[in-house]
Amino acid sequence: GQLSLIPFEALIDEKNQFLIENYSFTYLTSGRDLLRMQTKRESQNKPLVIANPLFGTSETIASVSNKRQSITATRNLSDTFFAPLGGTLQEARAIKTIFPNADFLTEANATETALKNTNAPQILHLATHGFFLEFQNTAPKTENPLLRSGLAFAGANLRKGEKDDGILTALEASALNLWGTKLVVLSACDTGLGEVRNGEGVYGLRRSFVLAGSESLVMSLWSISDYVTREMMTNYYKNLKSGLGRGVSLRQVQLEMLKKPNRQHPFYWASFIQ
């Protein structure tokens, strides 16, 4: 149930220490994930980073927030505005210094179509807005919960209603070809959320990227500032580059943040889980 939305790393043990200080964590969407891990596939392409999409309309006059605003409380995409995410451009540049051979798509090129056309990149990094539409009593009981969460890309504010409308639903994400992708990083707010269904984990982006074939996934449970996110992601990729494992790399970043006086609260270091 709601335990699917809690970072266990931030729980406290009997010695008043965070669990992350003594344990490593990996989250499974269901027991079937253990069976998937027995099948090894090779990546087809170099890493791909998609960041700072040009969402459209009033971006030129909108005040740029330094926080990836949580829009999980939204009930309808038609009245949702995706604010510019200029900070993600710096995030992409920081990653480029670590993985210079990666492909980078930003602004007008950061499209839903470009993502759909990708073929199992080794790493897929998506720095954009995530959304989750709360369930409404007016919605049909049969509605697929994977239609209620997703990611925003170039043109998302224009609502063109075309094939590429700038909105990638979790259902569409589940059809991506990521068999062979070692890691997907959803550097966006609230990407770990979705409708909680007992016994089935969370139906949302975390479920869809598993269905798409990704070996592992890093995602957020709440919004933190662009600056803190960039700090986390840059150090995370440095750890990966140095040969640390995907889970170990994230834990190392979080333990380092715990040592800093202004980063000790779980709000800062526990937002991302693998």
Side-chain angles (χ1 to χ4, degrees):
Q2 298 301 319
L3 288 176
S4 297
L5 308 178
I6 293 175
F8 278 67
E9 292 91 332
L11 299 180
I12 301 287
D13 66 14
E14 62 277 6
K15 295 177 182 174
N16 212 33
Q17 288 184 308
F18 292 113
L19 292 190
I20 192 174
E21 297 180 68
N22 296 299
Y23 297 94
S24 298
F25 290 87
T26 299
Y27 296 84
L28 301 175
T29 54
S30 77
R32 289 190 296 273
D33 287 1
L34 292 170
L35 298 175
R36 271 179 10 113
M37 292 175 185
Q38 298 172 16
T39 307
K40 296 294 180 188
R41 295 171 186 259
E42 291 304 313
S43 306
Q44 301 299 314
N45 284 294
K46 54 190 177 183
L48 172 64
V49 176
I50 300 180
N52 191 32
L54 205 59
F55 298 118
T57 64
S58 30
E59 279 180 286
T60 49
I61 56 170
S63 60
V64 178
S65 164
N66 75 333
K67 189 170 181 181
R68 301 191 191 177
Q69 290 296 338
S70 167
I71 50 171
T72 52
T74 189
R75 292 182 177 275
N76 196 316
L77 269 180
S78 62
D79 55 13
T80 300
F81 175 74
F82 295 104
L85 285 173
T88 64
L89 200 54
Q90 281 79 45
E91 184 177 317
R93 285 171 181 156
I95 296 170
K96 193 173 182 68
T97 63
I98 305 165
F99 289 99
N101 72 320
D103 288 323
F104 289 83
L105 297 173
T106 62
E107 300 177 334
N109 294 320
T111 64
E112 175 191 0
T113 298
L115 177 57
K116 286 180 175 178
N117 289 339
T118 191
N119 181 27
Q122 181 187 18
I123 297 172
L124 176 61
H125 184 94
L126 302 174
T128 183
H129 280 296
F131 66 85
F132 176 63
L133 305 181
E134 292 182 343
F135 185 74
Q136 299 180 65
N137 292 330
T138 54
K141 296 276 188 203
T142 56
E143 183 189 47
N144 190 331
L146 292 181
L147 290 170
R148 297 214 308 279
S149 58
L151 298 168
F153 292 94
N157 286 332
L158 303 178
R159 306 288 190 271
K160 286 185 177 177
E162 297 172 358
K163 194 171 183 182
D164 186 334
D165 58 1
I167 301 292
L168 182 86
T169 65
L171 186 62
E172 289 174 305
S174 69
L176 296 173
N177 179 19
L178 301 179
W179 290 98
T181 296
K182 304 302 178 189
L183 171 68
V184 171
V185 176
L186 301 180
S187 182
C189 60
D190 315 305
T191 47
L193 301 183
E195 181 184 0
V196 174
R197 286 196 170 186
N198 288 339
E200 287 291 353
V202 173
Y203 273 84
L205 287 167
R206 66 163 84 179
R207 159 77 52 174
S208 62
F209 279 96
V210 166
L211 290 173
S214 175
E215 270 187 29
S216 56
L217 176 68
V218 168
M219 62 212 162
S220 66
L221 295 175
W222 59 79
S223 305
I224 54 175
S225 74
D226 272 346
Y227 180 80
V228 177
T229 303
R230 187 162 73 247
E231 177 188 335
M232 284 190 76
M233 289 298 145
T234 304
N235 291 329
Y236 177 62
Y237 281 111
K238 280 180 181 173
N239 289 344
L240 286 178
K241 187 82 174 201
S242 70
L244 291 180
R246 288 160 282 190
V248 178
S249 292
L250 183 62
R251 180 172 181 257
Q252 203 63 45
V253 170
Q254 293 170 322
L255 288 174
E256 288 296 324
M257 291 181 81
L258 255 178
K259 295 176 185 174
K260 299 180 181 179
N262 61 342
R263 295 279 189 269
Q264 288 179 342
H265 194 283
F267 170 75
Y268 296 104
W269 57 262
S271 62
F272 282 93
I273 63 171
Q274 177 177 298

